[in-house]
Amino acid sequence: MNGLNAVCRAIDTLNKTVGRLIAWLILAMVLLSVFTAIARKFGFGSNGWLEGQWYLFAAVFLLGAAYTLQQDLHVRVDVLSKHFTAQTRAIIEIVGHVVFMLPLAVGLTWLGWHDFMQVWQHNEMSADAGGLARWPVKLLIPVGFSLLVLQVLSEIGKRIHALATGEKA
Amino acid sequence: MIGEWGWLAPLMFAALFLLLLTGYPVAFVLGAVAMIFGALGVMLGAIPIELVQAIPERLFGIMRNETLMAIPFFTLMGLILEKSQLAEELLEAVSQLFGRIRGGLAYAVIIVGALLAATTGVVAASVMAMGLISLPIMIRHGYSPAISSGVIMAAGTLAQIIPPSLVLIVLGDTLSVPVGDMYIGAMMPSLILTGLFALFIATVSMIKPQWLPAQPALRVEIDWSKLLHALLPPLVLIFLVLGTIFIGLATPTEAGAMGAAGALLLALLKRRLSVSLLNQSLDHTAKLTSFVMFILIGSSLFSLVFRALNGDLWVEHLFTNLPGGTLGFLVAVNVLLFVLGAFLDFFEIVFIVVPLLVPIIHKLGIDPIWFGVLIAMNLQTSFLTPPFGFSLFYLRSVAPKEVTTAHLYRGAVPFIGLQLIMVVALIMYPDLVMHNKGEEPSSFSEVNDLSNVGGQAASADEAIRLMQEIAKEQKN
Amino acid sequence: ITQPTVQWRLASSFPKSLDTIYGAAEMLSKRVAELTDGKFQIRVFASGDLVPGLQVLDAVSNGTVECGHTAGYYYVGKSKAFAFDTALPFGLTARQQNAWYSQAGGRELLSELFKQYNVIPFAGGNTGAQMGGWFRTPINSLKDMQGLKMRIPGIGGEIMSRLGVIPQTIAGADIYPALERGAIDASEWVGPYDDEKLGLYKVAKHYYFPGWWEAGPQLSFYVNDAAWAKLPKAWQAAFQVATVEANMMMLAAYDARNPQALVRLMNQHKVVLHRYPDDVMQAGQKAAFALYDELAAADPMFRKIYASWKPFRRLVQGWTNLAETSLENFMYKNAK
Ligand code: NA
Ligand code: NA
């Protein structure tokens, strides 16, 4: 059980670090967006800057999903479930994660990787003048979902540990 | 037309609601239902397995949807306003102005709610700021806890109907209409709604004066310079968000970033911006963005499978065969949205339900902008209807102990009623949504003059002249 | 009800609101069903319903859907040679494109490119010459193009940028308000019929012609080659003739609707027509062919197709000019 705990803690630390770092990309997004508007007004401008904004945006929500799960901030409908026992809730969470989330997140990692490899091999670019290479933003999908896979494993581990030891997860 | 496996689609909807009740995260439930029914569809031969490859394509479509960048922009702006206490100062100053009249603090809340609403598009910041500051004062001065909570939640929720607004942005995107048109369309109805709130407070203060007492204690000199200072930040932000579009500096998407940057700058100028405040706000924004976008991703998985099972045809069939034609459809949609609003938040409703309604409104010839404003007004109630209402949650998290959940629920009821009155008013008087701008008058001679500008080739003039002759003939 | 023997999904790159373009896919679906006694059904999905509009080639290539209706030039980020499937600036008119594509080896050459993506292409409509976009203020010379902010995607945008224009592919929902208030100065779209529905005339009165980057843009049906191979010969033929009909009818629909819409724009909406200044067109054409030479040097596939396209263009221009344009010019000058 201690080994399990250590793995879960390592995963949590990883995703927490990633999550806290990518939060700063929001500031970058804000500044880039403001800069794009002002630069355009002064006769400079590039589709690359426009695209850079949604590249950053995608990085924020894809790489931040695992951290959001760890912090239990994915919204729930708790009308009924708030009356469940902690044990029932833990079991629901474990079943949901094992049966649905793991296959989904693994599947999306795989599909995203496949998609990324196609873009990488063709060196696909934006179709617009001054636009960016597509591989970095395509890479976000498999990376984001593999972080999510790890976090789902950690969440399962923590709940199994809690059920087994009776401690709070 | 719906096919052999048509029954799977309704079942899918049922499964969604059932699984939501387990309390498993909404985004993941959507994905889970998609997975179960996708697998079922593949096994029964109703869906080709290759369709799963649409998932990364759809995900990429969501990633490059720049319009949704408004979510982090507006959230960050709201959080900075709240955490740097700029919202608090505004509320204090306005309360001072209105405190002396009966129900004055309630008017102050409505006015500040509307002002904050005009700067930002997120409810959380408004409700939490006002809940933290106003609610304890109102309770202390003998205001009814129910009315106080109700007015704070309702005024805070104005953020979603007064432009700029995330609801209007997301709806505009889903209905494929310009966000600007949605803003213009929502202007009048949202002002009327604000007026209705004030009217309600006035009525209550006459019928039940003990619920909304006047505040002789607040009868102090008004500090005009403090008031101006407090009013400045929201005005600056209104300029940054709406003004930068107006002067042609920013696109509506960039205007959100202007507002967020402006809020940061204001906090910095007031020496309130610490690294830890910035860090907290960014962290919070990232998490909120992630959970909203994952609901969208989940909805996208859900609707992919739902469509593959011809569920969209089923919904279309269901809604176009309602008695009462267009009116029947509108009533049914509004009842549906109101009920769903009690259990789901507006993102889920807009992402899952509204796309299914789009083909129907086109078929019935309903103006999508008017329809969007109508839905936005209806979804306004979803913030206040128990058990699942964001404003209820936000206020609950900051309310003082003596305010019970029952107070919140009771306080919300009259304001839900007022919002529903607006929904009915919009159906009865569609002209309240004014987005059709008249043509600027321009004479035919001006057309001739301008077309001759510059050294164009003779054949160009001839081409234009010929087309003009033909156009003139067509006119007669 | 008897079930169809084959059920295909068609992903369109277009929304239902572009009814002329979107309608071509529905026409294909209807005709194929009629020709096969309802046994071969194709369900058409609008942009975004199954996959985003700009991902249709990927979806057909992966077999996510059996077929799609899209425009090749959306995919120039993968290979610039995809532009030949639709239009190159200062390229072929609709009739010339049809001639090159179906009778002068164009489709065969493009098939080599599409083979790499497991796709079989079919011509699937044409808008005819498009308009050159909506401007807030008139431009009188090449100088006025400097620093002009214009929403113009793709290779057209690349050439515009070489003329000093700042191409800005802003979000679709932002086009109208950005143009209204001047965050951008101009935006191109399609032609009078579709532009009228988009309503840009309300915010930018100056309507320029010709859309020199789209003299005759061809839309295409793409079919996944594995799905195609599974079709009985007779159904392949049914599909093929249906694409030919859709190809012809879309152009006919635009040719019928565009002039009526232009008249409405002029009479009811007081739109001001301008031709692009000569120096803009000349600089544009020069920049375009300089770009094609660069692309041919860098990309073997582009080079190969360009080697067929360029001489064909020259030849057919001469013929069109001699036989059609001369008569048209006479008739227009002496119109009655
Ligand atoms: Na607002
Ligand atoms: Na609710």
Side-chain angles (χ1 to χ4, degrees):
Chain A
M1 275 292 149
N2 277 339
L4 179 66
N5 238 343
V7 173
C8 292
R9 263 204 308 273
I11 292 174
D12 286 4
T13 311
L14 169 71
N15 274 328
K16 192 168 185 165
T17 313
V18 173
R20 307 218 65 149
L21 282 176
I22 60 106
W24 287 86
L25 296 184
I26 292 174
L27 186 62
M29 223 176 117
V30 169
L31 296 178
L32 178 58
S33 191
V34 168
F35 169 79
T36 306
I38 293 174
R40 186 177 52 228
K41 195 75 199 170
F42 285 98
F44 304 94
S46 158
N47 280 322
W49 298 340
L50 285 169
E51 291 178 6
Q53 292 173 43
W54 60 263
Y55 277 35
L56 290 170
F57 177 50
V60 168
F61 68 82
L62 285 172
L63 304 183
Y67 179 47
T68 308
L69 175 62
Q70 181 192 114
Q71 304 280 306
D72 195 20
L73 282 170
H74 284 291
V75 67
R76 303 161 184 271
V77 177
D78 65 348
V79 193
L80 222 58
S81 67
K82 65 183 168 205
H83 303 298
F84 298 168
T85 62
Q87 196 181 8
T88 312
R89 270 188 297 219
I91 292 173
I92 288 174
E93 206 75 358
I94 293 173
V95 171
H97 283 349
V98 172
V99 180
F100 302 120
M101 267 324 274
L102 264 188
L104 264 179
V106 169
L108 277 163
T109 306
W110 184 80
L111 286 170
W113 178 255
H114 178 74
D115 202 30
F116 161 73
M117 284 306 285
Q118 284 187 345
V119 167
W120 174 259
Q121 279 157 2
H122 287 107
N123 189 23
E124 189 173 328
M125 296 291 296
S126 158
D128 295 322
L132 307 176
R134 284 286 182 254
W135 68 263
V137 73
K138 288 275 187 177
L139 187 58
L140 291 171
I141 299 176
V143 172
F145 278 96
S146 48
L147 288 175
L148 194 58
V149 169
L150 289 177
Q151 194 58 45
V152 168
L153 287 172
S154 163
E155 297 301 315
I156 295 168
K158 281 186 284 187
R159 280 181 181 75
I160 288 177
H161 187 260
L163 284 177
T165 60
E167 290 165 24
K168 208 180 167 297
Chain B
M1 166 160 86
I2 294 167
E4 197 180 347
W5 307 111
W7 50 274
L8 277 172
L11 207 61
M12 201 174 163
F13 245 115
L16 173 67
F17 282 98
L18 221 58
L19 282 179
L20 281 177
L21 291 177
T22 62
Y24 195 55
V26 172
F28 303 165
V29 168
L30 284 161
V33 174
M35 197 174 122
I36 301 170
F37 282 82
L40 214 57
V42 169
M43 279 190 299
L44 293 170
I47 302 179
I49 181 81
E50 289 79 8
L51 213 60
V52 299
Q53 290 164 129
I55 297 170
E57 311 288 358
R58 288 169 77 88
L59 186 53
F60 189 59
I62 293 172
M63 289 158 72
R64 67 186 299 175
N65 187 338
E66 294 134 294
T67 310
L68 298 173
M69 294 194 301
I71 295 168
F73 291 158
F74 281 128
T75 307
L76 181 64
M77 172 167 42
L79 287 172
I80 297 281
L81 274 184
E82 184 215 325
K83 286 188 200 292
S84 65
Q85 286 151 359
L86 290 170
E88 189 177 329
E89 275 171 16
L90 177 66
L91 192 60
E92 272 168 7
V94 178
S95 298
Q96 213 180 27
L97 195 63
F98 283 87
R100 52 184 83 195
I101 57 172
R102 213 189 283 159
L105 290 174
Y107 295 121
V109 163
I110 293 173
I111 288 169
V112 172
L115 267 177
L116 289 175
T119 61
T120 155
V122 282
V123 168
S126 310
V127 173
M128 282 163 79
M130 296 198 294
L132 275 170
I133 308 144
S134 265
L135 195 49
I137 303 175
M138 293 166 101
I139 303 290
R140 205 175 329 123
H141 289 295
Y143 275 60
S144 141
I147 299 270
S148 310
S149 324
V151 78
I152 288 175
M153 292 187 296
T157 311
L158 284 175
Q160 295 292 25
I161 193 78
I162 297 181
S165 136
L166 277 189
V167 173
L168 296 172
I169 289 172
V170 171
L171 271 170
D173 188 51
T174 311
L175 295 165
S176 317
V177 295
V179 180
D181 282 3
M182 291 291 291
Y183 284 179
I184 294 165
M187 210 65 96
M188 183 70 102
S190 62
L191 287 179
I192 297 176
L193 183 66
T194 313
L196 280 182
F197 288 176
L199 203 64
F200 171 72
I201 293 297
T203 312
V204 172
S205 67
M206 278 190 285
I207 300 170
K208 292 272 184 189
Q210 69 274 27
W211 286 356
L212 297 166
Q215 301 311 317
L218 284 175
R219 199 178 285 273
V220 287
E221 271 305 297
I222 295 167
D223 186 344
W224 289 104
S225 102
K226 199 174 162 193
L227 183 67
L228 276 180
H229 265 101
L231 275 172
L232 203 60
L235 295 179
V236 168
L237 292 180
I238 291 171
F239 167 75
L240 283 175
V241 175
L242 297 179
T244 53
I245 302 174
F246 190 78
I247 63 169
L249 176 61
T251 66
T253 304
E254 290 157 351
M258 291 282 175
L264 285 169
L265 201 65
L266 284 169
L268 192 71
L269 290 174
K270 293 226 163 198
R271 301 181 192 285
R272 305 261 174 76
L273 188 71
S274 61
V275 175
S276 98
L277 187 151
L278 184 57
N279 201 355
Q280 273 175 32
S281 308
L282 291 172
D283 191 65
H284 200 119
T285 306
K287 286 186 281 207
L288 187 125
T289 304
S290 203
F291 103 64
V292 170
M293 294 306 290
F294 264 71
I295 292 175
L296 180 54
I297 293 169
S299 311
S300 177
L301 291 181
F302 180 89
S303 63
L304 173 67
V305 176
F306 193 70
R307 264 179 219 285
L309 293 170
N310 294 340
D312 50 340
L313 297 181
W314 168 65
V315 172
E316 200 175 318
H317 182 78
L318 210 62
F319 275 101
T320 41
N321 285 297
L322 285 169
T326 303
L327 187 65
F329 165 76
L330 289 172
V331 171
V333 163
N334 277 293
V335 170
L336 176 75
L337 292 184
F338 179 78
V339 173
L340 288 179
F343 300 98
L344 303 175
D345 71 69
F346 90 86
F347 282 116
E348 288 145 22
I349 297 172
V350 174
F351 293 151
I352 303 171
V353 180
V354 175
L356 296 170
L357 302 176
V358 172
I360 307 169
I361 65 164
H362 285 304
K363 198 172 265 181
L364 294 174
I366 297 173
D367 174 28
I369 294 164
W370 174 77
F371 187 71
V373 174
L374 179 70
I375 291 182
M377 190 56 79
N378 188 318
L379 290 181
Q380 193 72 0
T381 61
S382 74
F383 287 83
L384 300 180
T385 45
F388 190 98
F390 267 131
S391 295
L392 296 164
F393 295 160
Y394 294 139
L395 192 58
R396 177 72 278 168
S397 67
V398 297
K401 268 195 288 303
E402 55 267 42
V403 177
T404 64
T405 304
H407 284 141
L408 297 188
Y409 288 5
R410 244 188 299 138
V413 171
F415 293 96
I416 295 171
L418 293 174
Q419 288 164 350
L420 290 179
I421 289 175
M422 274 312 294
V423 171
V424 175
L426 285 176
I427 295 179
M428 287 172 63
Y429 307 103
D431 286 348
L432 290 174
V433 180
M434 304 185 308
H435 64 89
N436 289 318
K437 276 171 287 174
E439 288 293 319
E440 304 104 79
S442 130
S443 67
F444 209 80
S445 61
E446 185 191 348
V447 177
N448 276 316
D449 289 347
L450 279 167
S451 63
N452 287 324
V453 164
Q456 291 176 354
S459 63
D461 288 347
E462 277 164 18
I464 295 173
R465 202 166 302 127
L466 175 59
M467 202 59 226
Q468 283 170 341
E469 255 169 52
I470 295 169
K472 242 180 214 161
E473 286 159 27
Q474 299 279 324
K475 221 179 193 175
N476 301 329
Chain C
I1 322 154
T2 52
Q3 284 301 305
T5 317
V6 169
Q7 172 95 46
W8 273 14
R9 292 182 170 85
L10 182 149
S12 171
S13 283
F14 310 101
K16 287 184 178 150
S17 55
L18 287 174
D19 57 345
T20 315
I21 301 188
Y22 180 83
E26 287 200 314
M27 168 184 277
L28 172 91
S29 152
K30 181 166 165 279
R31 195 60 93 216
V32 165
E34 284 167 357
L35 287 170
T36 60
D37 284 333
K39 292 204 175 79
F40 180 10
Q41 299 259 349
I42 301 173
R43 187 173 165 202
V44 181
F45 290 87
S47 166
D49 279 359
L50 284 184
V51 291
L54 297 178
Q55 310 286 116
V56 167
L57 172 63
D58 305 71
V60 176
S61 171
N62 289 332
T64 310
V65 289
E66 292 82 1
C67 58
H69 189 225
T70 184
Y73 66 3
Y74 292 157
Y75 311 101
V76 290
K78 297 179 196 296
S79 164
K80 290 282 195 285
F82 278 115
F84 290 107
D85 193 49
T86 313
L88 268 66
F90 297 100
L92 307 173
T93 65
R95 272 181 61 182
Q96 294 167 351
Q97 172 75 9
N98 264 336
W100 176 69
Y101 190 84
S102 70
Q103 300 295 321
R107 181 164 181 255
E108 285 70 28
L109 281 165
L110 279 163
S111 291
E112 272 181 59
L113 172 66
F114 280 97
K115 212 180 173 126
Q116 296 169 16
Y117 293 83
N118 315 314
V119 164
I120 301 170
F122 298 86
N126 202 306
T127 66
Q130 297 197 358
M131 290 294 278
W134 299 89
F135 285 69
R136 286 165 53 84
T137 49
I139 42 160
N140 298 320
S141 70
L142 186 56
K143 209 167 84 248
D144 292 350
M145 302 289 280
Q146 302 306 306
L148 188 101
K149 281 104 52 184
M150 183 171 189
R151 189 204 163 270
I152 172 169
I155 294 185
E158 175 69 41
I159 291 164
M160 281 289 190
S161 82
R162 293 181 178 209
L163 301 187
V165 170
I166 302 168
Q168 290 280 281
T169 308
I170 58 172
D174 282 352
I175 300 172
Y176 185 96
L179 188 62
E180 176 177 28
R181 306 307 329 176
I184 54 173
D185 305 304
S187 175
E188 68 100 39
W189 194 238
V190 185
Y193 180 73
D194 293 320
D195 291 17
E196 186 187 24
K197 282 182 287 181
L198 194 66
L200 295 183
Y201 60 80
K202 290 182 209 154
V203 294
K205 288 268 172 228
H206 302 278
Y207 199 20
Y208 272 77
F209 65 92
W212 41 260
W213 50 94
E214 283 162 314
Q218 172 180 299
L219 291 304
S220 297
F221 291 107
Y222 294 160
V223 178
N224 177 274
D225 55 11
W228 181 255
K230 280 188 221 142
L231 281 186
K233 277 273 175 300
W235 291 10
Q236 288 182 347
F239 187 94
Q240 190 150 11
V241 293
T243 63
V244 175
E245 187 189 10
N247 190 42
M248 197 200 99
M249 284 303 180
M250 190 198 293
L251 183 62
Y254 271 115
D255 281 342
R257 291 170 183 179
N258 273 333
Q260 294 170 1
L262 184 59
V263 164
R264 279 195 299 274
L265 286 169
M266 293 167 72
N267 284 347
Q268 291 165 26
H269 304 304
K270 312 297 178 208
V271 157
V272 185
L273 293 170
H274 301 268
R275 200 184 82 131
Y276 269 102
D278 272 343
D279 58 348
V280 173
M281 307 251 304
Q282 251 136 28
Q285 179 155 267
K286 210 171 142 197
F289 281 84
L291 174 68
Y292 305 154
D293 288 339
E294 287 167 34
L295 294 174
D299 177 350
M301 185 59 79
F302 190 97
R303 180 162 62 240
K304 189 167 174 188
I305 302 175
Y306 188 51
S308 147
W309 183 88
K310 193 181 177 186
F312 180 85
R313 173 183 176 276
R314 180 87 186 125
L315 183 61
V316 81
Q317 261 180 356
W319 165 242
T320 307
N321 193 33
L322 181 106
E324 300 264 340
T325 319
S326 62
L327 177 57
E328 282 177 352
N329 274 339
F330 170 82
M331 293 191 294
Y332 295 155
K333 273 185 189 156
N334 303 282
K336 259 299 152 246

